[in-house]
């Protein structure tokens, strides 16, 4: 039999092992006769809020909507600029532009690839009303450091937790440390739906109510729209029911992901740096390696049957749709062509993890 190789991701494995529970969750919804904004949605919001240690969670349609609604919710004056990083997939750029805001970029730290908070201090100007800090690859970013810079200037901080649910810091879980936090439940995330899903979390009741209104046509009450900029972005009952069955498994899944990354790190030769994901401040979402020639590594691994991916190949300010020739981010640009993501999901077998590790060791740099 031919070797099927190691997939970058394979959702069918979790779907197979969780099949009975998922069908039971779907059955609950079908029997209830209630498909939007019912008990599953409400219960999921309560359970996620409890898990995160925040007062309020609002389920929405996806993670990009969550960012857009969060930005709209904190924008209360004439300032129009959002700051973020340019190496995190472009979701904040998409969300900010959809809401009609300008986007400014902050360079990243060469060690962690996360926002360089000291660079944020210089990038902020009088037009800045919000900074979105992404917990990229699953690693908790320096939210406290950013808040110390932003709060005296009346600038809101939003955590993008799409890749980092369950990462813990001394200040609490990611998603509990800023004004607002956003989540994606895209199927490959550490907490994945059977389709699209997202959420916004906050300690502040007023912000929560604003996001809730914005997520449903600006309605304060049915058919009464009080919030300008409202739209329709809802987490449906089926997705909420699925997420409720999966939330209790997040911590175990994150630990398995960290263990896989540690195994790769131990096997990597000099010149190939596996970004560390050791402690609980990392959710292990992506295993990213940095090396001088990521394409050569990808080709080598493909040759031994290991699939890889790149997160992300083109920074926002170099995307054809949002190109900004005046923006220079030396560190972000330096990483282009140097990063590669390795297979990292809880259902990988030990043999598959070993095969990837052997592939790394055998790479001739
Ligand atoms: C860091 C980050 N932010 C936002 C998103 C957007 O989420 P969604 O695909 O649910 O819109 C994603 C994932 O796709 C992400 O990885």
């Amino acid at each position: 039999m031919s070797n099927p190789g190691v997939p970058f991701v394979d959702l069918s494995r979790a779907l197979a092992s969780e099949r009975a529970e998922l069908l039971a969750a779907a059955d609950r919804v079908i029997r209830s006769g209630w498909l939007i904004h019912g008990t599953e949605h409400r219960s999921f919001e309560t359970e996620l809020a409890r898990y995160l240690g925040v007062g309020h969670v609002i389920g929405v349609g996806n993670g990009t909507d969550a960012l857009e609604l969060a930005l709209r919710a904190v924008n209360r004056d004439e300032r129009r600029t959002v700051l973020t990083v340019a190496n995190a997939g472009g979701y904040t750029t998409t969300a900010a532009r959809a809401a009609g805001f300008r986007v400014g970029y902050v360079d990243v730290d060469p060690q962690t690839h996360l926002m360089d908070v000291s660079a944020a201090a210089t990038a902020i100007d009088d037009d800045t009303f919000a900074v979105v800090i992404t917990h990229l690859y699953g690693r908790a970013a320096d939210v406290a450091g950013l808040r110390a810079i932003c709060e005296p200037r009346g600038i809101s901080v939003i955590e993008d937790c799409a890749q980092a649910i369950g990462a813990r810091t001394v200040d609490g879980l990611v998603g509990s440390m800023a004004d607002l936090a956003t989540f994606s439940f895209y199927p490959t995330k550490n907490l994945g739906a059977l389709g699209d899903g997202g959420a916004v979390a906050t300690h502040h009741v007023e912000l929560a109510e604003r996001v809730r209104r914005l997520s449903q046509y600006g309605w304060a009450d049915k058919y009464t729209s009080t919030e300008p900029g409202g739209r329709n972005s809802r987490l449906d009952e089926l997705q909420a029911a699925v997420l409720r069955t999966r939330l209790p498994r997040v911590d175990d899944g994150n630990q398995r992901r960290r263990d896989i990354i540690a195994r790769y790190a131990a096997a990597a030769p000099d010149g190939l740096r596996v970004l560390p994901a050791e402690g609980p401040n990392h959710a292990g979402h992506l295993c990213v390696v940095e090396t001088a020639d990521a394409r050569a590594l990808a080709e080598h691994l493909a040759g031994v049957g290991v699939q890889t991916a790149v997160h992300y190949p083109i920074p926002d300010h170099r995307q054809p749709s949002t190109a900004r020739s005046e923006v220079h981010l030396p560190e972000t640009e330096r990483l282009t062509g140097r990063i590669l993501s390795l297979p990292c999901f809880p259902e990988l077998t030990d043999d598959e993890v070993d095969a990837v590790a052997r592939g790394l060791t055998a790479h001739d740099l």
Side-chain angles (χ1 to χ4, degrees):
M1 213 169 86
S2 69
N3 178 359
V6 184
F8 182 72
V9 70
D10 180 359
L11 298 180
S12 70
R13 300 180 186 188
L15 292 172
S17 68
E18 298 168 12
R19 184 178 168 82
E21 275 176 280
L22 295 172
L23 289 174
D27 191 51
R28 226 168 44 228
V29 174
I30 292 165
R31 282 175 195 278
S32 77
W34 201 281
L35 300 175
I36 299 277
H37 282 182
T39 53
E40 298 294 336
H41 180 267
R42 265 197 309 280
S43 300
F44 174 64
E45 288 182 342
T46 305
E47 286 157 16
L48 182 58
R50 195 178 306 136
Y51 175 80
L52 296 173
V54 301
H56 313 274
V57 165
I58 303 98
V60 300
N62 58 64
T64 310
D65 282 0
L67 285 163
E68 183 187 332
L69 297 170
L71 288 169
R72 287 181 186 272
V74 297
N75 182 250
R76 305 310 283 175
D77 56 30
E78 66 292 342
R79 292 177 295 175
R80 306 297 287 170
T81 297
V82 178
L83 289 187
T84 191
V85 291
N87 69 333
Y91 308 103
T92 296
T93 297
T94 302
R97 289 168 73 101
F101 299 130
R102 286 185 278 271
V103 186
Y105 295 107
V106 181
D107 211 351
V108 297
D109 178 283
Q111 290 304 309
T112 62
H113 303 189
L114 303 179
M115 179 180 282
D116 176 349
V117 167
S118 61
T122 40
I124 283 169
D125 67 19
D126 290 344
D127 195 54
T128 308
F129 73 92
V131 182
V132 177
I133 184 161
T134 306
H135 301 295
L136 193 64
Y137 310 151
R139 170 179 291 279
D142 182 11
V143 177
L146 185 63
R147 285 182 58 186
I149 292 163
C150 290
E151 272 171 12
R153 305 181 65 163
I155 296 168
S156 300
V157 173
I158 297 171
E159 297 176 67
D160 180 351
C161 310
Q163 300 189 0
I165 189 166
R168 267 164 220 280
T169 77
V170 287
D171 299 318
L173 260 72
V174 307
S176 69
M177 299 184 286
D179 298 295
L180 284 170
T182 64
F183 292 84
S184 164
F185 307 122
Y186 184 78
T188 57
K189 299 302 190 218
N190 293 23
L191 176 60
L194 297 190
D196 276 316
V200 179
T202 181
H203 295 289
H204 308 287
V205 63
E206 256 179 53
L207 283 175
E209 282 170 4
R210 209 173 291 149
V211 171
R212 202 175 285 288
R213 290 193 293 269
L214 286 166
S215 71
Q216 188 159 242
Y217 323 116
W219 285 355
D221 292 304
K222 199 166 185 185
Y223 304 136
T224 305
S225 178
T226 56
E227 196 75 43
R231 29 168 315 208
N232 171 20
S233 182
R234 297 182 291 226
L235 181 70
D236 65 59
E237 286 290 282
L238 273 172
Q239 300 307 342
V242 164
L243 292 166
R244 289 184 69 201
T245 75
R246 289 182 155 182
L247 180 59
R249 271 194 278 274
V250 165
D251 290 343
D252 285 349
N254 288 359
Q255 187 56 52
R256 170 72 179 150
R257 289 168 182 270
R258 285 190 291 264
D259 291 345
I260 291 168
I261 296 172
R263 174 83 181 87
Y264 296 162
D270 288 348
L272 203 162
R273 188 170 82 94
V274 175
L275 271 67
E278 279 146 17
N281 74 333
H282 204 300
H285 178 60
L286 289 172
C287 176
V288 173
V289 301
E290 189 182 337
T291 184
D293 187 349
R295 187 194 292 261
L297 176 62
E299 282 169 7
H300 161 76
L301 289 174
V304 295
V306 174
Q307 285 180 2
T308 57
V310 180
H311 298 87
Y312 293 93
I314 308 174
D316 298 19
H317 64 301
R318 298 289 179 252
Q319 288 286 352
S321 67
T322 51
R324 298 262 298 276
S325 57
E326 81 285 8
V327 176
H328 296 290
L329 302 166
E331 196 50 43
T332 300
E333 287 154 27
R334 191 187 67 81
L335 290 173
T336 306
R338 294 178 60 90
I339 48 174
L340 192 72
S341 305
L342 305 177
C344 183
F345 57 99
E347 297 77 23
L348 279 173
T349 65
D350 290 343
D351 284 349
E352 288 172 325
V353 174
D354 286 343
V356 177
R358 276 195 307 276
L360 291 176
T361 306
H363 184 44
D364 208 0
L365 284 153

